[in-house]
Amino acid sequence: TVVEATEIQPAMVMATGEVAAKNGVVKSVGTAEDLNKAVLEAQDGVETTIQLTEDIVVEKPMTVKEGQNIILDMAGHKITVTDSFVSRIFTNNGTLTIKGNGTIDVTEAGANGYGAVNNFGTLTVVDGTYKALKETDAYIFYNRSGGTVIFENPTVEDGCGAIATLINTTTEIHGGSYSDETYPTIENRGNMLITGGTFENTSCSSCDGR
């Protein structure tokens, strides 16, 4: 009988707390430190699913690097921030998917809590709730030049604006609820397709001179 040796791929070598998935790695995290570590250590070209097991509070933003492919499964949990937090939870330069019907809420940071994602790569947002305060003077999701974003039925609420895009971007909105109190709910400068959704703006031009 001839038995052929099988080369061990990097995704098949698991550290403690990791599970081999069919096409990648699954990591379970329950603290902000573990989440940051999982994002930092995600291997280029390997689909890495990071699943929350607890609600967590983060102090600093995180960056998904070019070449990384991360699926953040909120699993119904919340990501909130400290009052010293500044900016958005993620800057995405790679491929990032957020799913699992969780909540990202940066309201505790007041005017310094800009929102959820600053996107330069490929972002997919599936369900979930995303919150900021109108005092931020910022959009909860910002699709930057070269970026692609797909929204599938999220709830984006209470910030200065829900979604902003720059030129040389592609954005698709397939359902969901988008509301704000100050700027246009959707401010688009790139290519955008909207197939469904509810869009509400409750600003008052006579209230603050805008």
Side-chain angles (χ1 to χ4, degrees), residues 13 16 24 30 39 44-45 63 67 80 82-83 100 131 134 142 151-152 175 189:
V13 182
T16 303
V39 171
D44 288 1
T63 298
T80 56
T82 62
D83 59 6
K131 298 181 178 182
K134 68 177 182 179
Y142 211 132
F151 294 95
E152 298 179 1
R189 302 175 185 86

Coordinates of all heavy atoms in Angstrom, one line a residue, residues 13 16 24 30 39 44-45 63 67 80 82-83 100 131 134 142 151-152 175 189:
V13 N -2.5 24.6 10.5 CA -1.8 24.6 11.8 C -2.4 25.6 12.7 O -2.3 26.8 12.5 CB -0.3 24.9 11.5 CG1 0.5 24.9 12.8 CG2 0.3 24.0 10.5
T16 N -3.8 27.6 20.0 CA -4.8 27.3 21.0 C -6.0 28.3 20.7 O -5.8 29.5 20.5 CB -4.3 27.6 22.4 OG1 -3.2 26.7 22.6 CG2 -5.3 27.3 23.4
G24 N -10.4 28.0 5.7 CA -9.7 29.0 6.5 C -9.6 28.7 8.0 O -9.5 27.5 8.4
G30 N -13.2 36.9 23.2 CA -14.1 37.4 24.2 C -13.7 38.7 24.8 O -14.3 39.2 25.7
V39 N -7.0 40.1 14.7 CA -6.9 41.0 13.5 C -5.5 41.1 13.1 O -5.1 40.9 11.9 CB -7.6 42.3 13.7 CG1 -7.3 43.3 12.6 CG2 -9.1 42.2 13.9
D44 N -2.2 36.6 5.6 CA -2.6 37.1 4.2 C -3.1 35.9 3.4 O -2.5 34.8 3.4 CB -1.3 37.7 3.6 CG -0.9 39.0 4.1 OD1 -1.6 39.5 5.1 OD2 0.0 39.6 3.7
G45 N -4.2 36.2 2.7 CA -4.7 35.2 1.8 C -5.5 34.0 2.4 O -6.0 33.2 1.7
T63 N -6.8 48.0 12.5 CA -6.6 48.0 11.0 C -6.5 46.7 10.4 O -5.8 45.8 10.9 CB -5.3 48.8 10.7 OG1 -5.4 50.1 11.2 CG2 -5.0 48.8 9.2
G67 N -4.3 42.4 1.9 CA -4.0 41.0 1.8 C -4.8 40.2 2.8 O -5.0 39.0 2.6
T80 N -18.5 48.2 21.9 CA -18.6 49.6 22.4 C -17.2 50.1 22.6 O -16.2 49.4 22.5 CB -19.5 49.7 23.6 OG1 -19.0 48.9 24.6 CG2 -21.0 49.3 23.3
T82 N -14.5 53.1 24.9 CA -14.3 53.9 26.1 C -14.5 55.4 25.7 O -14.5 55.7 24.5 CB -12.8 53.7 26.6 OG1 -11.9 54.1 25.5 CG2 -12.5 52.2 26.9
D83 N -14.5 56.2 26.7 CA -14.7 57.6 26.5 C -13.5 58.3 25.9 O -13.5 59.4 25.4 CB -15.2 58.4 27.7 CG -14.2 58.2 28.9 OD1 -13.1 57.7 28.7 OD2 -14.6 58.7 30.0
G100 N -23.6 38.8 11.6 CA -23.9 38.2 12.9 C -24.9 39.0 13.7 O -25.0 38.7 14.9
K131 N -24.0 52.7 15.4 CA -24.4 53.9 16.0 C -23.3 54.9 16.3 O -22.2 54.5 16.7 CB -25.2 53.6 17.4 CG -26.4 52.8 17.3 CD -27.0 52.6 18.7 CE -28.3 51.9 18.6 NZ -28.9 51.7 20.0
K134 N -24.5 62.6 16.6 CA -24.5 63.7 15.6 C -23.4 64.7 15.9 O -22.9 65.3 14.9 CB -25.8 64.4 15.5 CG -26.2 65.3 16.7 CD -27.5 66.0 16.5 CE -27.8 66.9 17.7 NZ -29.0 67.7 17.5
Y142 N -17.4 55.3 5.9 CA -16.8 56.2 4.9 C -16.0 55.3 3.9 O -15.1 54.6 4.2 CB -15.8 57.2 5.5 CG -15.7 58.5 4.7 CD1 -15.8 59.7 5.4 CD2 -15.6 58.6 3.4 CE1 -15.8 60.9 4.8 CE2 -15.5 59.8 2.7 CZ -15.6 60.9 3.4 OH -15.6 62.1 2.7
F151 N -23.7 46.9 1.3 CA -24.6 46.8 2.5 C -25.8 46.0 2.3 O -26.5 46.1 1.3 CB -25.0 48.3 2.9 CG -23.9 49.2 3.3 CD1 -23.4 50.1 2.4 CD2 -23.5 49.2 4.6 CE1 -22.3 50.9 2.7 CE2 -22.5 50.1 5.0 CZ -21.9 51.0 4.0
E152 N -26.0 45.0 3.2 CA -27.1 44.1 3.1 C -28.0 44.2 4.4 O -27.6 43.5 5.4 CB -26.7 42.7 2.8 CG -25.9 42.5 1.5 CD -25.5 41.1 1.2 OE1 -25.7 40.2 2.1 OE2 -24.8 40.9 0.2
G175 N -31.2 47.1 0.8 CA -32.0 47.1 2.0 C -31.4 47.7 3.2 O -30.2 48.1 3.2
R189 N -20.2 60.4 -4.0 CA -19.4 61.0 -5.0 C -18.9 60.0 -6.0 O -18.2 60.3 -6.9 CB -18.3 61.8 -4.4 CG -18.7 62.8 -3.4 CD -17.5 63.4 -2.7 NE -17.8 64.4 -1.7 CZ -18.1 64.1 -0.4 NH1 -18.1 62.8 0.0 NH2 -18.4 65.0 0.5

